[in-house]
Amino acid sequence: MKPSKTKRDIRAELDRQMADYLRSGGKVREVPRGLSGRIDPKGPLTPLFTPRNSENPLAGRTPLTEVVAAVESRKHPIPAPKKPKKKRPRKKMILDDFGQPVRWEWVED
């Protein structure tokens, strides 16, 4: 089995790569905290993937409501109706007139 890299190994490799980059003449620019790479950071997010038809973005979509309903129905199948359990006989204590136990009998309800 190949041993996996630990966090210490990964950190050492990154430090080594950074030192090599700086030795070869590379420079690191400082970027102020909170600065965004977006043109208008307060505006809405732009979609990463453009639809096929740029004029009407909903034109390239296919309705899948039936497919989703079929998948959902397979996720939660309707349970089969339970069979009624057979009534098992139970022991019943037979008492005499004074409340003393006399014997046990098997009774079916």
Side-chain angles (χ1 to χ4, degrees):
M1 179 191 270
K2 184 178 177 182
S4 59
K5 290 183 177 182
T6 62
K7 287 184 178 182
R8 182 178 296 168
D9 296 337
I10 294 170
R11 170 55 63 195
E13 184 178 345
L14 285 173
D15 287 341
R16 197 170 34 256
Q17 288 175 357
M18 208 166 22
D20 291 342
Y21 174 74
L22 292 173
R23 249 187 269 117
S24 67
K27 293 182 181 176
V28 177
R29 283 191 324 184
E30 296 266 343
V31 178
R33 272 186 94 128
L35 186 65
S36 174
R38 292 175 36 206
I39 297 169
D40 182 17
K42 294 183 180 163
L45 293 173
T46 56
L48 296 175
F49 304 104
T50 56
R52 293 180 192 152
N53 186 355
S54 298
E55 293 133 14
N56 187 1
L58 300 179
R61 295 186 178 181
T62 307
L64 297 174
T65 53
E66 297 86 16
V67 176
V68 171
V71 169
E72 288 296 321
S73 69
R74 285 190 302 232
K75 276 187 186 176
H76 308 288
I78 299 171
K82 294 183 178 179
K83 295 180 189 177
K85 291 185 178 180
K86 286 184 173 179
K87 298 276 185 171
R88 293 178 38 180
R90 63 179 183 86
K91 279 172 106 176
K92 182 178 178 185
M93 183 185 299
I94 303 298
L95 306 174
D96 64 4
D97 294 338
F98 301 104
Q100 299 296 320
V102 176
R103 68 180 181 273
W104 290 95
E105 282 188 5
W106 288 97
V107 179
E108 292 187 28
D109 290 330

